[in-house]
Amino acid sequence: MSTLLFSPPPLRHSSVLSFLIVLCLFFCPLSSSLEFPVNVWPKPTTFLWPHPQATFLSHNFTITFPQHRYHKHLFSAINRYRHLVLSEHHQPLVTPVIHPSPTSLPLYTLHITVSDLTAPLQHGVDESYNLTIPTTASMATLTAETAWGAMRGLETFSQLVWGYPSMVAVGLQIQDKPIFPHRGVLLDTSRNYYPVRDILRTIEALSANKLNVFHWHITDSQSFPLLLPSEPNLADKGSYGPEMQYSPEDVKKIVNFGLEHGVRVLPEIDTPGHTGSWAGAYPEIVACANMFWWPAGVKWADRFASEPGCGQLNPLNPKTFQVVGNVIKDVLSLFPEQFYHAGSDEVIPGCWKTDPAIRSFLSNDGNLSQLLEKFVNSTLPFIVSRNRTAVYWEDVLLDDNIRVAPSVLPPERAIMQTWNGGPDNTKRLVSAGYRTIVSSSDYYYLDCGHGGFVGNDSQYDQPQGTSHGKGGSWCAPFKTWQTIYDYDITFGLNEKESELVLGGEVALWSEQADATVLDGRLWPRAAAMGEALWSGNRDNKGKKRYAEATDRLNEWRHRMVQRGVNAEPIQPLWCARNTGMCNTVNSSYS
């Protein structure tokens, strides 16, 4: 057995202040509605702590792992978490009341055992773990089937340490595993650019919330920021500038950072729609490029795009598939992730109809759905041949105007991601046999409720005193953490259909977001989904636990801020200091 060493910061044991803090840790009075004085987010599936007690964390604390078993990503996590628990000294919003264990020694060691170190980070990997911190021994144990489960357990352990000098909960047992294997956040880096450092911080926060997928919506009509070796002109002419591009080295750094934190990086290159940014390099393969998105006097049904930024790849031009093939090949070489998101949402009829070759095709009894089928038939085999699973937005099957037949995209060959229609569209997909990722805009779109970004919008010019409707935001209102936490992504499904729901993703589309607001838009709302998908939003009696979740999320948000994530507050500090006083005991305000 080898010990991973990291030099901890010195502790001032002689400090009178430290002594007083310790006294308060044990004896300060507090009335709390929480089940335990110290909690973990997301709530573990089984948390047994019959007699809450605590002991000191030794300033020589180590995390050990058998020397003959090496896993570079787990070793990186072990060193990271050892440093965290020794240096964080989290000060809770309300000091926990925990009796000292009269028989406890300081906790010196956390020993990790992993059954299978060869399991890759991929969809469905075992993330379960067991954590035991005894009352009478100086060593805690963490067992897991895989390195990725051990990382989840390390995060849980870190949240059971607090104070200065550091205290740790003892006399507890945790058995934990997720309900859903796919738990993610989508970030759009095309509408506005996000520096690499902000993406890394987001991935770190994902891991802390036991979320395991960073869905990277890299490109769109507004910009093409990904620098690809085979097609460098796409970024050179389609990005916002050389300082707003992601190089292959950047991608490698982000992917490796994800591996070190147990987070898969899932790339999305949206095609054939949302490709106006490709026209800088290849104007001949993009229909309606650089055209005004919704000309004056034109009906909405005949628009060229659903928002400013026009362009759709032309499936009738052979060069389209040469370029798309190069793009897919490069992306698959940069990202080891087994899922490849091919987009295929919002293919707008009016855009394709501007192209003379397409108009000729239509005049000879062709239709627009055949064009989409041609595109899918030309690109899906390329993706599958490279041992990837293709993910598509639901539009490819469910759009009212342009869609492919299920025979073109059978359930065994693709995964669907739903964003419209709430539970109804989820039902439509899974009842047809499709594995589905849920990102319902009614619940999981984090950009909603911030107004619109289109200028010269007459809908704001309303007589005073009249309703302003959704305030310019198509998907208003704002999706609160409570709305997100309360959503049951398998609502209305039978057992067989529920098994096809892989999980969910909250989505931050970036028309009105960039790095300056990133943390607040994501957190703690993404954390709310994290718990709902990890251990559920109900207690062991089947009752929704949003009430007690408020206090736990309030504390977790506070800890995230201390860790460098600028999460939004969910209550005034007064509420935490006056337990229960901010609750309502009535069923409504009427």
Side-chain angles (χ1 to χ4, degrees), residues 286-289 291 302 304 349-359:
V286 183
C288 81
M291 297 180 69
D302 297 322
F304 301 148
C351 178
W352 266 347
K353 290 178 180 179
T354 64
D355 183 82
I358 292 177
R359 288 200 303 271

Side-chain angles (χ1 to χ4, degrees), residues 17-45:
L17 177 60
S18 298
F19 175 74
L20 293 176
I21 291 174
V22 172
L23 287 178
C24 190
L25 285 171
F26 292 144
F27 301 115
C28 289
L30 171 68
S31 173
S32 176
S33 60
L34 292 175
E35 185 178 1
F36 299 114
V38 176
N39 287 277
V40 174
W41 192 280
K43 196 179 186 78
T45 51

Side-chain angles (χ1 to χ4, degrees), residues 392-393 396-397 409 414-418 429 434-437:
Y392 292 89
W393 291 106
V396 74
L397 291 172
L409 208 56
I415 294 169
M416 294 295 124
Q417 186 161 5
T418 178
L429 291 170
Y434 288 93
R435 294 164 290 171
T436 301
I437 298 165

Side-chain angles (χ1 to χ4, degrees), residues 51 67 149 257 294 328 383 465 531 579:
H51 306 290
Q67 185 175 21
F257 193 84
W294 185 16
I328 295 175
I383 298 167
E531 176 160 298
T579 304

Side-chain angles (χ1 to χ4, degrees), residues 201-202 204-205 519-520 523 557-568:
R201 186 179 67 257
T202 298
E204 189 169 26
D519 289 2
W523 311 105
R557 176 264 170 187
H558 171 61
R559 190 163 199 159
M560 288 184 71
V561 171
Q562 290 190 332
R563 290 185 178 184
V565 178
N566 293 319
E568 284 187 338

Side-chain angles (χ1 to χ4, degrees), residues 151-208:
M151 289 185 190
R152 307 297 174 232
L154 284 166
E155 175 58 39
T156 293
F157 179 82
S158 76
Q159 294 184 34
L160 295 170
V161 179
W162 76 96
Y164 191 93
S166 295
M167 308 297 296
V168 59
V170 298
L172 60 77
Q173 289 184 313
I174 293 175
Q175 294 179 322
D176 205 9
K177 62 180 181 180
I179 297 173
F180 294 97
H182 188 107
R183 309 173 308 279
V185 166
L186 177 153
L187 182 64
D188 159 26
T189 63
S190 171
R191 271 74 176 216
N192 279 308
Y193 174 83
Y194 293 81
V196 171
R197 64 179 179 275
D198 297 291
I199 293 175
L200 299 182
R201 186 179 67 257
T202 298
I203 290 174
E204 189 169 26
L206 283 167
S207 179

Side-chain angles (χ1 to χ4, degrees), residues 186-194 216-225 238-240 244 246 268 270 273-277 305-311 345-346 393 419 445 447 453 474 507-515:
L186 177 153
L187 182 64
D188 159 26
T189 63
S190 171
R191 271 74 176 216
N192 279 308
Y193 174 83
Y194 293 81
W216 190 358
H217 183 91
I218 309 174
T219 66
D220 213 289
S221 275
Q222 287 76 14
S223 78
F224 195 109
S239 70
Y240 289 133
M244 296 188 187
Y246 303 105
E268 179 185 354
D270 201 350
H274 292 273
T275 48
S277 59
S306 290
E307 68 175 36
C310 291
D345 62 312
E346 295 186 313
W393 291 106
W419 64 282
Y445 269 29
D447 56 305
F453 77 98
W474 73 270
L508 180 57
W509 302 102
S510 295
E511 286 90 344
Q512 295 174 287
D514 62 13

